[in-house]
Amino acid sequence: MKCKMLPVTLASLLFAGIGSAVADSHGMTAMQLAEEKKCTACHAVNESDGMSVVPAFKSIAQRYPMEEFDRLVQVVLTGGQDHWGHTEMPDMGVRSDVSPADAEKLVNWILEMDE
Ligand code: HEC
């Protein structure tokens, strides 16, 4: 890669666009929510920016169909492990609190990245 900043810039432009399509009544996009809730402190959006121990949101989207929606909302709320390796996604309390509505919004946003 010639310029390290370029893919990051492209990704943020792209996802700012997608995020604005699903802006909720508070006007916060899913991407902004993911940043505020510190999801992006661990998760990359694209595999190419990836930190290997934590799955990128795009990889999660490619792996799971919409039928996994409810289970993934539970993971966002209570944490999970052993699906991607041995690194645990911690329970809330360790990370920022997420409401069930926020968790649904985030999981929906993640799963739609596969389309
Ligand atoms: C402290 C680091 C960390 C934070 C913060 C974090 N995650 Fe995760 N997340 C992980 C790890 C590690 C895994 C892999 C767990 C596994 O293997 O089952 C994971 C897995 C997931 C999965 C897939 C679960 C599965 O069963 O495959 C989803 C969806 C997810 N995270 C969403 C989120 C969202 C949304 C947020 C923000 C509210 C978030 N994560 C915050 C570390 C984190």
Side-chain angles (χ1 to χ4, degrees):
M1 205 58 73
K2 275 179 236 138
C3 169
K4 275 192 171 165
M5 285 307 291
L6 190 60
V8 178
T9 312
L10 284 177
S12 35
L13 282 176
L14 180 63
F15 285 103
I18 293 175
S20 59
V22 291
D24 67 6
S25 53
H26 305 291
M28 197 186 277
T29 64
M31 183 73 211
Q32 287 166 334
L33 189 61
E35 282 170 358
E36 187 188 277
K37 299 298 180 190
K38 308 274 185 283
C39 312
T40 49
C42 291
H43 290 275
V45 171
N46 289 302
E47 300 92 333
S48 52
D49 326 327
M51 290 160 270
S52 55
V53 286
V54 175
F57 286 151
K58 267 249 168 98
S59 309
I60 295 173
Q62 279 156 11
R63 178 162 170 178
Y64 296 120
M66 266 296 169
E67 287 74 62
E68 293 277 337
F69 182 86
D70 290 338
R71 191 186 67 78
L72 293 175
V73 169
Q74 284 310 307
V75 170
V76 173
L77 292 173
T78 60
Q81 71 186 111
D82 292 338
H83 295 95
W84 295 87
H86 298 293
T87 316
E88 187 183 358
M89 171 146 156
D91 197 355
M92 286 192 295
V94 182
R95 29 182 195 95
S96 304
D97 283 5
V98 183
S99 70
D102 285 350
E104 286 179 13
K105 176 171 170 170
L106 288 163
V107 171
N108 195 46
W109 171 66
I110 293 165
L111 290 177
E112 279 184 347
M113 289 181 193
D114 193 28
E115 287 167 3

